[in-house]
Amino acid sequence: SEHGFDHWFSTQNNALPNHHNPDNFVRNGQPVGRLEGYSAQLVAEEAIDVCAAMGVAFTKIVDIGVSGIHRVLEKVPILQKTSVIIVIAGMEGALPSVIGGLTDRPVIAVPTDVGYGANFRGLSALLGMLNSCAPGLTVTNINGGFSAAFAACRIVKSMKRISENKK
């Protein structure tokens, strides 16, 4: 794109034939065809690229969600060691609320268009996150991996500057 980054991702008709290796992915409004991986993973990779470009270390945790809460609970010790957490979730968008309730870290929620039924291309996840009862949850736009990572990097770098100024 003219700005040097792909500023939005989406799928048409909720990623056909499904969210694994979708055939109908759209980037910046243009169909790009089949992509390898899960559609939410592509948003995560965008966030990872931003963190790497900004020189901020990260830990990637995948395949956890509210439908397998035991996998979330297993990762809480790792999550508690981070400075900020980006949670990328589709469906009803409940995962950021769960993470926000289990940790005392800033949580940036990224709704994705991953889902089926009444997903409305990510709108249901977005509204679920905006209505979260977890205090301090920050929400980006649908598939906003770039924005989430940029905000997270600013938080981390600000924390580092504050810490260095106290020395």
Side-chain angles (χ1 to χ4, degrees):
S1 81
E2 64 189 60
H3 301 291
F5 60 89
D6 295 322
H7 49 273
W8 65 273
F9 292 110
S10 72
T11 55
Q12 298 171 329
N13 302 320
N14 285 329
L16 294 175
N18 59 48
H19 292 285
H20 186 242
N21 302 327
D23 288 333
N24 60 336
F25 213 75
V26 174
R27 180 177 285 136
N28 297 332
Q30 301 300 314
V32 294
R34 183 177 175 84
L35 291 179
E36 296 296 319
Y38 287 91
S39 46
Q41 170 189 332
L42 300 168
V43 176
E45 293 300 326
E46 180 182 46
I48 287 168
D49 290 346
V50 170
C51 290
M54 293 182 74
V56 174
F58 59 89
T59 300
K60 178 180 171 183
I61 300 172
V62 297
D63 195 30
I64 64 172
V66 294
S67 64
I69 197 72
H70 62 285
R71 294 191 306 266
V72 175
L73 297 174
E74 291 169 358
K75 302 298 183 185
V76 170
I78 295 169
L79 295 171
Q80 287 287 42
K81 293 178 183 175
T82 65
S83 299
V84 62
I85 302 168
I86 298 173
V87 181
I88 300 169
M91 303 301 290
E92 75 282 3
L95 184 59
S97 293
V98 172
I99 299 296
L102 291 171
T103 68
D104 62 354
R105 303 298 186 223
V107 176
I108 301 173
V110 182
T112 69
D113 55 8
V114 174
Y116 46 82
N119 176 269
F120 303 111
R121 296 187 181 167
L123 185 59
S124 60
L126 174 65
L127 293 175
M129 292 175 188
L130 288 172
N131 287 299
S132 173
C133 63
L137 187 71
T138 301
V139 183
T140 70
N141 206 346
I142 298 166
N143 297 325
F146 175 87
S147 294
F150 202 91
C153 290
R154 281 184 167 177
I155 292 168
V156 170
K157 289 182 176 216
S158 293
M159 292 170 69
K160 187 174 183 178
R161 276 193 305 275
I162 291 168
S163 177
E164 289 171 352
N165 288 338
K166 287 184 177 182
K167 292 179 183 176

